[in-house]
Amino acid sequence: MISAKGYAAHTHESALELYSFERKDPGEYEVLIDIIYCGVCHADFHQSKNEYGNTKYPFVPGHEIVGRIRSIGEKVSKFKENELVGVGYFILSCGYCQSCIGQEQQFCENGITPTQNGKLQDGTFTKGGYSDCIVVNENYIVSVPETLNQPGAAPLLCAGITTYSSLKYNQIVAGHKVAILGLGGLGHMAVKFATSFGADVTVLSSSAAKEDDAKKLGAHHFVNTSDKEHFTTLVNTFDFIVDAVSAKHDYNRYLNLLKKDGIMILLGVPPEPSTLHAHSLTGKRRKITGSFIGGIEETQEMLYYCAKHQITADVELIRPNEINIAFERMIKGDVRYRFTIDMQKL
Ligand SMILES: [Zn+2]
Ligand SMILES: [Zn+2]
């Protein structure tokens, strides 16, 4: 066994605390990774509070991991010791269903094993990247280019691939008019990728204070959604709306901003259902769809793309013992745009 330490929640009411535990030695096809940085995703907070009802404690969050390989199993062929690598939302899938064969493991028909709170065959639950090391099968890690800014690269493993995959699958290219709804962790990555793909990008936000930031991130236009008059002029404007809002909101209001055949892509998952009027779709043959992280091959492709175009997340680097304050600030939307934990300071 390998002794590990990290930050864990012990109940849904407790803050994260320093926690020592053991990880199993790497198997034949597994690698042991020393974690350098881990991004802080909204899911980490919600799961620590058992908001999805299935959290097993002690719960160690973290699925935006950048680290270096300490050692490898005998049969590992894809990676070497000391390589810089990343681990994202899941560390296993069945490997033989249509989705897995098609390199879309995120939709594995037999269920993925998430990097945090995922049930393993032996009945134990996975512990995530708010820790000093992790053991992962070589087929579920990706190579991180050395030229990328490492703290900014960590959030690419969840927020980055979630937005990249949704834009690629929907074939968003130069000339498209794309609206990004919500400028948080996901939204700011959507702006970076959409502008880099050549789209004409508008940020829709209810916070007027974000206009400067939106422009700095590369957005061409900004619309304050509380400005009803301006909002009305946008009806039938966009080819795509990337909806990165996780709080309940009225989809119909935004669907009306799509042109004929326009597509609204949902990335955020509000806790409660929302009413959809059929007319919002039928009148202009609009579509509404969703997207969820990305496959391993696509995550690798994204990281190479990011290295080529020097794209990383805008992050605020924190020490591990600042995680509870970071959670509070993240929930208030008080972060531009992602926290990354420096796990070397553990
Ligand atoms: Zn995430
Ligand atoms: Zn599968």
Side-chain angles (χ1 to χ4, degrees):
M1 296 299 261
I2 296 152
S3 61
K5 55 186 174 171
Y7 268 77
H10 291 268
T11 73
H12 72 282
E13 286 170 323
S14 55
L16 300 194
E17 290 169 11
L18 198 57
Y19 168 61
S20 295
F21 60 103
E22 285 187 322
R23 292 205 186 265
K24 67 179 188 61
D25 295 308
E28 288 180 325
Y29 293 98
E30 290 178 327
V31 302
L32 169 62
I33 301 165
D34 284 321
I35 298 174
I36 307 172
Y37 295 107
C38 187
V40 179
C41 178
H42 278 256
D44 304 347
F45 171 80
H46 296 302
Q47 258 180 334
S48 79
K49 298 293 170 204
N50 195 24
E51 287 177 22
Y52 310 136
N54 63 354
T55 306
K56 290 283 181 289
Y57 298 97
F59 167 64
V60 180
H63 58 267
E64 294 184 338
I65 298 166
V66 169
R68 269 192 205 281
I69 296 182
R70 190 197 302 176
S71 64
I72 60 173
E74 280 163 37
K75 295 194 174 158
V76 167
S77 59
K78 296 179 178 168
F79 295 91
K80 295 188 187 70
E81 277 174 24
N82 209 34
E83 255 188 274
L84 191 67
V85 292
V87 179
Y89 188 82
F90 57 94
I91 53 148
L92 266 185
S93 65
C94 83
Y96 56 80
C97 73
Q98 281 304 104
S99 297
C100 285
I101 289 166
Q103 276 296 319
E104 290 184 322
Q105 299 92 343
Q106 73 272 33
F107 303 123
C108 174
E109 283 131 52
N110 297 300
I112 51 170
T113 304
T115 305
Q116 62 196 40
N117 201 51
K119 193 171 185 183
L120 293 165
Q121 270 185 343
D122 64 4
T124 62
F125 286 77
T126 55
K127 293 187 167 51
Y130 293 11
S131 59
D132 58 355
C133 64
I134 192 165
V135 175
V136 184
N137 181 292
E138 65 170 338
N139 292 325
Y140 295 85
I141 63 179
V142 286
S143 175
V144 176
E146 296 277 357
T147 52
L148 278 176
N149 168 281
Q150 289 175 18
L156 296 177
L157 277 308
C158 177
I161 186 59
T162 297
T163 47
Y164 179 88
S165 179
S166 72
L167 303 183
K168 291 290 271 195
Y169 181 79
N170 288 286
Q171 298 173 9
I172 294 178
V173 292
H176 281 138
K177 282 185 180 296
V178 177
I180 313 290
L181 179 56
L183 194 62
L186 284 174
H188 99 289
M189 287 311 307
V191 172
K192 291 189 183 205
F193 283 127
T195 52
S196 142
F197 293 169
D200 183 76
V201 175
T202 302
V203 168
L204 305 176
S205 169
S206 57
S207 161
K210 289 195 171 164
E211 176 158 5
D212 281 351
D213 272 27
K215 299 273 171 74
K216 270 185 218 151
L217 290 166
H220 305 95
H221 320 277
F222 179 89
V223 175
N224 179 351
T225 54
S226 318
D227 179 349
K228 280 191 187 145
E229 230 168 277
H230 192 176
F231 192 86
T232 318
T233 66
L234 296 177
V235 170
N236 303 328
T237 297
F238 301 108
D239 298 294
F240 296 92
I241 297 174
V242 179
D243 183 344
V245 174
S246 298
K248 190 178 177 186
H249 56 292
D250 179 8
Y251 293 134
N252 306 289
R253 183 172 186 236
Y254 299 98
L255 281 165
N256 284 322
L257 307 187
L258 288 171
K259 291 179 189 169
K260 176 172 78 68
D261 295 319
I263 300 178
M264 181 159 165
I265 308 163
L266 306 184
L267 301 182
V269 183
E272 309 142 68
S274 191
T275 309
L276 181 67
H277 298 296
H279 183 73
S280 305
L281 302 178
T282 56
K284 295 268 177 194
R285 203 166 52 196
R286 297 172 179 126
K287 301 179 189 77
I288 189 163
T289 183
S291 196
F292 174 57
I293 44 174
I296 298 296
E297 213 172 83
E298 192 176 36
T299 304
Q300 186 64 74
E301 171 195 309
M302 172 210 60
L303 287 168
Y304 290 148
Y305 182 87
C306 287
K308 192 172 169 198
H309 298 269
Q310 279 304 304
I311 295 173
T312 51
D314 289 11
V315 300
E316 191 176 320
L317 196 59
I318 60 164
R319 303 173 72 92
N321 61 7
E322 293 170 321
I323 182 59
N324 294 303
I325 300 164
F327 268 176
E328 273 174 41
R329 287 185 47 205
M330 178 177 72
I331 294 312
K332 282 189 270 178
D334 176 25
V335 53
R336 300 216 167 151
Y337 279 90
R338 205 78 159 170
F339 287 110
T340 291
I341 312 173
D342 183 349
M343 294 314 310
Q344 293 165 301
K345 299 268 159 61
L346 196 66

